[in-house]
Amino acid sequence: MTTSASVPTEGAISRDGGVTDRLVDANERYAAAFTDPGMDARPVLHVAVVACMDARLDLHAALGLELGDCHTIRNAGGVVTDDVIRSLTISQRKLGTRSVVLIHHTGCGLEAITEDFRTDLEMEVGQRPAWAVEAFRDVDQDVRQSMQRVRTSPFLLHTDDVRGFVFDVKTGLLREIDPA
C-alpha cells in the first residue's frame, strides 16, 4: 500500500509549496487521463456508508468497492448527526439507496476528548459551537447509538437494513456490532 508518507514529495509541490497546490497538481495529472465513466449519481449497490473521517480508513479498498458503488458520508467519529441524517435522506429519497452501513474504528480520536472541547473553544474564540462533539468512551455502544438514530429517523424510508461495524486499524478487519 502506498501512503502519502511514503510518496516522495520533492518536486511534487509547486507554486507556493503548499499541500493544496500539491493536490491541484495531482488533479491536473488525473484529469489529463480522465474519461467520463458515464455513471449516474445513483449508487450501483444502493448502499450508503457512514464512516469516520480518519485518514487510516481506505473504505473503498477495505470494502471491495468500486467507483459508483456507494454513497460515502464521513465525519469525525462516523457518528450519525443531523447532517448525516440529511445526507442519508437525500441518498434514499432521491438517489435510491436502501441499505446503510455504519463504520466506526479502533483508536478513534473521539475517545480521547470530551464534550468539554466545546467549552474550551468558547473560552478561546468567544462563541460556543452549536454542534455537539459526539465524543464517546465505548466504540461499540456508539455504533449501537448510531444504528438506533438511523432506525428511528422519521425522514428515512429504509431502516431495516442498517448494520454497524468497528474497523480495526491494526488488522483491517471489520467486527459487526449487535444492535441489541
Side-chain angles (χ1 to χ4, degrees), residues 13-77:
I13 299 175
S14 66
R15 292 185 263 294
D16 71 354
V19 69
T20 303
D21 288 330
R22 176 179 167 193
L23 300 176
V24 170
D25 289 346
N27 174 256
E28 289 172 2
R29 291 188 298 280
Y30 171 80
F34 182 80
T35 56
D36 179 358
M39 294 178 172
D40 185 284
R42 297 173 179 271
V44 173
L45 299 179
H46 306 286
V47 64
V49 178
V50 178
C52 185
M53 66 185 191
D54 193 295
R56 297 171 290 180
L57 277 67
D58 183 350
L59 290 175
H60 276 73
L63 301 175
L65 296 167
E66 300 292 329
L67 182 67
D69 281 348
C70 73
H71 284 160
T72 306
I73 304 161
R74 296 181 80 157
N75 67 19

Side-chain angles (χ1 to χ4, degrees), residues 115-135:
E115 293 296 322
D116 289 340
F117 180 67
R118 293 174 69 217
T119 303
D120 297 342
L121 281 172
E122 180 180 19
M123 298 305 287
E124 180 182 331
V125 302
Q127 181 177 340
R128 187 172 185 82
W131 39 263
V133 175
E134 296 282 351

Side-chain angles (χ1 to χ4, degrees), residues 79 109-116 132-137 142 145:
V79 296
L110 285 187
E111 293 176 289
I113 64 175
T114 68
E115 293 296 322
D116 289 340
V133 175
E134 296 282 351
F136 54 86
R137 293 283 174 251
D142 203 64
Q145 177 176 290

